[in-house]
Amino acid sequence: MKKESLEQRVRAIKGSLPPHVLLVAAAKTRSAAEVQTAVASGIVAVGYNYIQEAEAMRQTLKEWEMQETSRRLQWHLIGHLQRNKAKRAVELFDMIETIDSLRIAEAVDRRCADIGKVMPVLIEINSGRESNKTGAPPDELISLVRQIAELKHIEIQGLMTMGPRFGDPEEARPYFRLTKKLFDQLIKENVPHTEMRFLSMGMSNSYEQAIEEGANVVRIGTRLFGARNEA
Ligand SMILES: *Cc1c(COP(=O)(O)O)cnc(C)c1O
């Protein structure tokens, strides 16, 4: 098999996505050079799981970001947020995709109030109802959204889910479907101060199924950058 370059992979995947789908490059463990190449090849949003890694990368890329990217790069938090990291999170990120409790939402809201920011957030759903996973329980979603929507410095803009991991991505469809159903239900509920625009689901092995089931944000790492070396 001929090895494609990062640039070729970014262009190929971007080119294959329907135009309404936002590609978030899941950039954990990647070097600054890789992130720069991805952005130069058309990536407009990067996703980070950890505050510290994102902070270091933003620092490294600061000068370059100012010079190179005519349209500012969007930084998404896609990993679980701890309350004691809320302050740095609201400074670093343009969107937090992983709000899953009122407590964490309140912490983000308070920190945003301190700096006069309104943070776009997605509510993360534990669509597989897995006991060891993050995300709000599907059955509590609507009441959770109603409570978080009251917070003045947060704007709910959609839903995110990981779903259980399968070797065969076809098996992920029921979890994507459930999340889409909840998304549609929330659109109908028309909760004040919410704007249900983004449905973030699907990763390297499942993004095609996710898009077929209604995703308009996909978070892709391995298929763009190659296998991770997670030692
Ligand atoms: C790492 C990660 C991804 C991307 O995973 P790949 O399988 O490498 O595409 C997507 N979403 C989240 C939350 C992640 O942590």
Side-chain angles (χ1 to χ4, degrees):
M1 199 172 74
K2 213 165 92 226
K3 198 164 179 337
E4 287 181 306
S5 67
L6 172 54
E7 178 180 349
Q8 286 170 323
R9 287 193 299 264
V10 172
R11 291 194 195 287
I13 291 182
K14 263 202 89 161
S16 74
L17 298 178
H20 69 280
V21 174
L22 172 67
L23 171 56
V24 176
K28 57 180 172 270
T29 77
R30 309 305 176 176
S31 69
E34 287 174 293
V35 174
Q36 286 171 314
T37 300
V39 171
S41 312
I43 291 296
V44 300
V46 287
Y48 277 89
N49 296 67
Y50 301 108
I51 306 291
Q52 239 168 332
E53 189 180 10
E55 193 166 47
M57 191 58 75
R58 281 211 80 155
Q59 194 58 36
T60 306
L61 296 183
K62 205 167 170 183
E63 300 272 299
W64 171 83
E65 247 197 295
M66 283 190 298
Q67 292 160 8
E68 294 292 319
T69 51
S70 51
R71 215 174 107 198
R72 208 177 75 77
L73 188 56
Q74 294 286 307
W75 295 71
H76 288 215
L77 178 64
I78 61 173
H80 185 65
L81 177 60
Q82 291 167 314
R83 280 200 312 156
N84 62 359
K85 303 258 171 72
K87 180 178 190 292
R88 280 149 86 203
V90 306
E91 291 163 357
L92 278 170
F93 291 100
D94 301 297
M95 176 179 276
I96 298 177
E97 296 200 15
T98 50
I99 296 292
D100 63 358
S101 73
L102 183 58
R103 264 163 65 91
I104 192 67
E106 284 172 342
V108 169
D109 182 68
R110 216 173 304 125
R111 293 308 191 171
C112 282
D114 291 344
I115 60 169
K117 180 171 181 170
V118 175
M119 176 64 75
V121 304
L122 307 184
I123 306 299
E124 183 184 354
I125 312 294
N126 182 356
S127 57
R129 296 180 169 91
E130 296 169 282
S131 59
N132 57 340
K133 290 279 178 75
T134 54
D139 313 307
E140 293 166 23
L141 176 65
I142 307 258
S143 80
L144 180 65
V145 165
R146 288 191 185 284
Q147 294 175 73
I148 294 176
E150 299 285 324
L151 303 172
K152 295 276 181 296
H153 295 88
I154 282 187
E155 187 180 66
I156 297 176
Q157 296 191 345
L159 301 182
M160 179 271 215
T161 200
M162 298 275 289
R165 287 268 212 162
F166 298 103
D168 176 2
E170 290 301 318
E171 292 180 49
R173 282 189 196 271
Y175 306 95
F176 295 152
R177 255 175 227 159
L178 169 66
T179 309
K180 173 65 158 70
K181 199 176 123 197
L182 294 166
F183 183 75
D184 289 341
Q185 202 176 334
L186 277 167
I187 291 173
K188 274 212 209 98
E189 293 274 332
N190 201 12
V191 179
H193 318 300
T194 65
E195 183 78 54
M196 300 302 290
R197 293 163 57 196
F198 299 111
L199 183 54
S200 175
M201 43 189 206
M203 322 206 306
S204 286
N205 88 329
S206 60
Y207 73 91
E208 284 155 318
Q209 287 78 9
I211 291 169
E212 285 171 13
E213 300 298 342
N216 60 14
V217 179
V218 292
R219 309 173 311 268
I220 302 183
T222 323
R223 281 281 291 269
L224 293 174
F225 296 105
R228 271 186 301 277
N229 236 327
E230 279 168 316

